[in-house]
Amino acid sequence: MKIALSFALLQPLLIAISSASAESLADEFLFPGGNTIYVGVDYYPEHWPEERWETDLRMMRKAGFNIVRVAEFSWVLFEPSEGTFDFDWLDRWMELAKKHEMKVILGTPTAIMPAWLAKKYPEALSQKADGTRTVWGGRRHNCFADQDYRRLALRVVEKMAEHYANHPCVVGWQIDNELGGNDCRCVKCQEAFRLVVKDRYSSLDEINRAWGTHFWGQRLHDWKEIPIPADRVGDWAISNPSASLDWQRFTSQQSIDFLTAQADIIRGKCPPSHFVTHNFMGLHASIDYYALARPLDFVSWDNYPPLGPAIPYDSSLAADVMRGVKKQNFLIMEQTAGPLGWSVFSLNPKPGELRKICYQQLAHGADGQIWFRWRTCTVGREQYWHGLLGHDGKASRRYREAAQVATEYQELAPKLAGTTLHPQVAIIYDYNSLWALQIQNGYPGASHAEAIKRYYNALLRAGANADIVRPSDDLSKYKLVFAPHLHVLADPDAQNLSKFVERGGVLLTDCRTAVKDETNLAYARTLPGLLSPALGIEISEYESLRQGIDGTTETTYPLLATGLGDVRYNAVRYADWISPTSADVIARYDAPHLKDFAALTRNKYGDGIGWYVGTIIDDPRFYDAVVARLLADANITPIVKPPAGVEVTVRSNEVTALLFAINHTNQPATLNVPSHRPNLLSGERTEDSITLAPFGVAIIELEAAAKASGPLSVP
Ligand code: GAL
């Protein structure tokens, strides 16, 4: 089949581009001069004999690497005893980096406190719910409320920033390492929590209302009565979902404050050309990543996808979240480089697999790429977390593949500069909903992220890309918005979604949406609350289909679906009993007691359409069928419909659009593509279709004909 690259297909792209923000700090930092892109490795000079340093740097340069991240766990080396600082060892390595014209990202070393600190200031170690302290020797085991830890951590950052502010190799800073998961339950954290909630709620009457303390006699008469909420559901310490949500916000903010304090120090000491970033963890959800991204110049993240011949959907979604939290491209700070694991290790990436993992991220907005790690360590916990080089330090197959990627990236850099994704689809990703559903599941295993994945994966299979947005974001540039399990929905955000539909947008939402307000209290309304008119439904009853303590006894309802093909689907895990008010019924449950209720509805509202899915289906084809209907309703035609196991995205700017096609399988894959276009990686022009090798990648330039006839950047 011939796919002509019609203006009709490209037009939405160009429209989206013209309404997108032009500002991109990432371009400034990550495409220095517009013609280079950072590609390199995470390196630990302290793990290797000094005589080896230069060999390593030489090999890195030979592979085409131009950047190295160092120092992130080196606090005890910089400050061997309290107040005594020593940067000589790293200075010596930096001299060699200078000699080999290597750029450097410095990691601040605060994720691991020195032993002397833990010994002298035992309260710097976090406290567990049972009152015991974390034992020193791991990572990320500090209490953020401990003033000694904070003072000493910020001092070592200040000393580092002063020392390296003018070093010619330094281009930027990674603050700490993978912040998240802190849950210290000491009295200092409790006191800090009290101050935060006092500030948030101003009066005891207000906190009593917001936390619903008239339940179980939890009324508070003094701010000092506020405890740390239970750490587990079912604990008989204060077990109050509203308090727990505020505690989650508090621990998230502790990390953000710590990061902000470090960013302020670095910006105060270093020239503005130094970027400040942090290595995020994709779909990790203990910190509000929208807020964590705010003090940074751009987001970086650590990508460790499952290995093997299948689409690692979560890595695509995580990349989109990373692009979405700051509405900007991102850097890969740690990228899988070999078999991984702390105790047992995984598959070895097969030939081509590392390369396609990199391109998957590039396709979703990565503007640079750093492998974790350079060489597999011979000591410590990560002896089996393999690097590009094995324990033996020899140039290996993985090293050569990484070198190929580095060369290709440099050739692609001028084309990539200033491009990003401009999808017509958005997905609402909301930390309040993530957290509230963790605190109180509702039905067993309910999860905002898992709900998103059901639709996201289907979108990806359909060849459509999505932006990740907040419920309060301006949605006007999108045609189709997904809001699955949007459990916490403030009234202004519900109005935002309703207006989006009224003005012509297509909205999909599903189970457990709009159940809670921002303080995690259930609305005293018929579901789906303020979204009822836009969706044309009311939900008077609902049920969890898994029973028993472990949720193993399962009821299922066959689905009577109309307009979703002939497949017989089963509703599992949860069922809304939907009464349509104005919506059309797309599917019902095949159960006598549910014959009057809908499972899936579609409603015309204003100029748009509101869809509601009231259950979960154990067959991905259901989501493929729903997504196909939604794309049709929204008048979105993906440029390419990828075959199974192949992923496509489009990165574009005002002058060019680059179609990425990535084969995640270990078999050749053929896909129809626009013809007569340059394939930037092969140097050939496309026919009506292309065949990708196992783990193969193509980047096809979809630009105006005049430009397309110009020279290719890869000969
Ligand atoms: C990451 C971390 C690295 C390293 C790696 C392998 O999460 O940032 O420092 O530990 O995992 O375990």
Side-chain angles (χ1 to χ4, degrees), residues 1 10 14 25 27 60 129 169 187 204 278 360 384 399 455 497 532 652 654 658-659 707 711:
M1 187 186 73
L10 269 185
L14 301 175
L25 282 172
D27 296 344
M60 291 173 199
C169 294
V187 287
L204 284 162
H278 172 69
Q360 183 189 27
Y384 295 149
Y399 166 85
Y455 301 98
L497 293 181
S532 264
S652 57
E654 292 77 2
L658 306 172
L659 172 74
K707 284 187 177 298

Side-chain angles (χ1 to χ4, degrees), residues 160-175:
M160 247 183 115
E162 276 166 1
H163 192 82
Y164 290 113
N166 298 311
H167 196 289
C169 294
V170 178
V171 291
W173 296 77
Q174 171 197 299
I175 292 175

